[in-house]
Amino acid sequence: MPAVSARLPVFPWDRLEPYKATAAAHPDGIVDLSVGTPVDPVPELVQAALSAATDTPGYPTVWGTAALRDALTGWVERRLGATGAGHRNVLPLVGSKEFVAALPAQLGLGPGDRVAFPRLAYPTYEVGARLAGAEPVAYDDPTELDPAGLKLLWLNSPSNPTGRVLAKDELRAAVAWAREHGVLLVSDECYLELGWTAEPVSVLHPDICGGGFDGLIAVHSLSKRSNLAGYRGAFAAGDAEVLGELLTVRKHCGLMVPAPVQAATVAALGDDDHVAEQRERYARRRTALREALEAYGFRIEHSEASLYLWSTRDEPCWDTVGALAELGILVAPGDFYGPAGGRHVRIAFTATDERVAAAVRRLAG
């Protein structure tokens, strides 16, 4: 039996282990800025909702409770500015990564089909294409793609890894192009609430989509906005026909968000205060790290949103990773996100205040 893993690239994070060991040997310990994982507490109201829902012995449904779907549609309209969203326009996910990786296969794509994603991108877009046996295609401008055989077009704004935010005219052009050529456009918007020097906009906003969701899916996660990476709470919103097909497929796969996590998601999406508090934490860490990195000789590019500083010293990215590891600071090499990132590193500001302060001291010498 052929191994599915043979279709896939080497898992990138395994290559970072020797540098992690070097950084961990620092007398003051490692400052791990390589992965954008939350470190701050889960909001108390979310913990309370989870706890109150623990006595749920029955199976949850793949589509979620009516209360969850109300919370999802309400948030999509209130936060994204979308209009006319109903229950058929939302789909709960067991974290957004499983959706990204499984989507091409769940759409029935395979050999002869093409899946496009940004040239600098979250590697799971390519993984999803390869798992389905489809052809992965990297682009600089989606409207310049050859539409032949193209079935799925990924957008990512704000971008992981660069933090770049697509302007409204870029989003409108991509939507119009995808609709003209009958290509499903899926927009990964997991960092949308973390704009710093730009205001990210969803493809579901009427200014972008014209008020209709046809041919469009937006993907959102609670991992970053609410510190819920450990809960695996996320959702997709948009085209009811596409989401209905996916719901049917996912029922057969048993892809059910646990009932306590559904309750926690309702609580998290109904409260904006904890999101504002977390933004303030990240803003402080971002400013401190950016100033220290620039003083150390880095140039920061893009980074107008998300949880990362896309940084370069105009040298091969692994040289930068090695130099920072000697200071006890672990960062992600840019080539994890495609060859175009070969002279950059991605530096997360999701560490604690104490660890960020340690990194600032070390960079200052």
Side-chain angles (χ1 to χ4, degrees), residues 81-85 179 203-214 216:
T83 56
R179 284 173 166 169
V203 294
L204 302 185
H205 192 285
D207 288 352
I208 307 303
C209 67
F213 302 149
D214 52 302
L216 304 176

Side-chain angles (χ1 to χ4, degrees), residues 132-351:
E135 178 189 351
V137 180
Y139 66 79
D140 295 306
D141 181 344
T143 65
E144 295 179 356
L145 284 162
D146 179 357
L150 186 64
K151 300 295 178 64
L152 174 59
L153 169 62
W154 283 102
L155 298 185
N156 181 208
S157 176
S159 164
N160 174 16
T162 69
R164 180 173 179 247
V165 173
L166 295 177
K168 283 187 174 182
D169 59 345
E170 293 177 289
L171 291 171
R172 278 192 291 264
V175 168
W177 185 91
R179 284 173 166 169
E180 177 186 355
H181 295 287
V183 178
L184 177 65
L185 187 155
V186 183
S187 179
D188 182 348
E189 302 174 352
C190 289
Y191 297 91
L192 184 134
E193 292 191 282
L194 294 164
W196 307 112
T197 59
E199 185 63 37
V201 179
S202 172
V203 294
L204 302 185
H205 192 285
D207 288 352
I208 307 303
C209 67
F213 302 149
D214 52 302
L216 304 176
I217 301 293
V219 184
H220 286 270
S221 168
L222 282 80
S223 295
K224 315 301 184 184
R225 72 183 296 279
S226 299
N227 299 336
L228 297 188
Y231 285 42
R232 310 315 300 136
F235 64 95
D239 190 311
E241 183 176 348
V242 175
L243 292 180
E245 170 66 13
L246 291 171
L247 174 60
T248 299
V249 172
R250 291 166 69 85
K251 284 178 179 178
H252 284 287
C253 298
L255 291 168
M256 300 172 282
V257 177
V261 174
Q262 293 189 34
T265 298
V266 172
L269 292 179
D271 178 73
D272 293 332
D273 290 344
H274 77 274
V275 180
E277 292 172 6
Q278 190 59 44
R279 277 181 55 86
E280 290 177 5
R281 294 187 188 106
Y282 285 142
R284 291 194 302 269
R285 294 166 187 166
R286 177 181 183 272
T287 297
L289 275 173
R290 179 166 192 146
E291 291 176 353
L293 288 165
E294 289 177 333
Y296 191 75
F298 280 92
R299 184 174 70 256
I300 312 298
E301 297 180 354
H302 300 303
S303 306
E304 56 256 34
S306 82
L307 293 175
Y308 313 108
L309 294 169
W310 187 238
S311 311
T312 183
R313 294 200 303 180
D314 294 310
E315 65 184 4
C317 61
W318 286 98
D319 291 353
T320 308
V321 170
L324 289 176
E326 294 294 335
L327 295 178
I329 301 170
L330 188 67
V331 301
D335 66 4
F336 277 10
Y337 308 94
R343 298 180 73 82
H344 289 74
V345 293
R346 193 195 75 170
I347 302 176
F349 43 88
T350 54

